[in-house]
Amino acid sequence: MAKVIAFRRSAAFAVTLLGLSIAFKPDDDGVVSAEVTHGEALDRFAAIASDYRVVAETPAVVKAEPDPATAQPKSKAGDAKKAS
């Protein structure tokens, strides 16, 4: 899925492309865009660079928790003295 941004637009509108109805609408910042999943439709929008820009979506970064089975225990300040 990718976001398609429509330039020179300020209000909601729909585009019928390849039998699909793609609804564009402004966000809180006034950027008019639509979420598009159809690959050929994305290619068509990308080909009209003067009016549309295809922006690839990136997955959210999730911080992974360490695996408790392989995680090493935290050392205590006194542990270093005991080892010497």
Side-chain angles (χ1 to χ4, degrees):
M1 176 176 7
K3 180 184 282 189
V4 177
I5 298 172
F7 298 120
R8 298 183 247 175
R9 297 288 188 136
S10 59
F13 69 100
V15 172
T16 302
L17 182 63
L18 302 169
L20 305 168
S21 179
I22 302 169
F24 285 81
K25 60 182 180 178
D27 63 11
D28 293 338
D29 296 326
V31 177
V32 179
S33 65
E35 297 292 330
V36 180
T37 57
H38 192 278
E40 192 175 346
L42 288 170
D43 292 342
R44 293 271 183 103
F45 283 121
I48 310 170
S50 62
D51 293 325
Y52 300 98
R53 174 164 296 144
V54 176
V55 181
E57 291 290 317
T58 56
V61 176
V62 178
K63 183 178 179 183
E65 295 295 323
D67 182 2
T70 60
Q72 296 185 2
K74 294 180 181 177
S75 64
K76 296 180 183 174
D79 290 347
K81 291 179 185 177
K82 291 179 188 176
S84 351

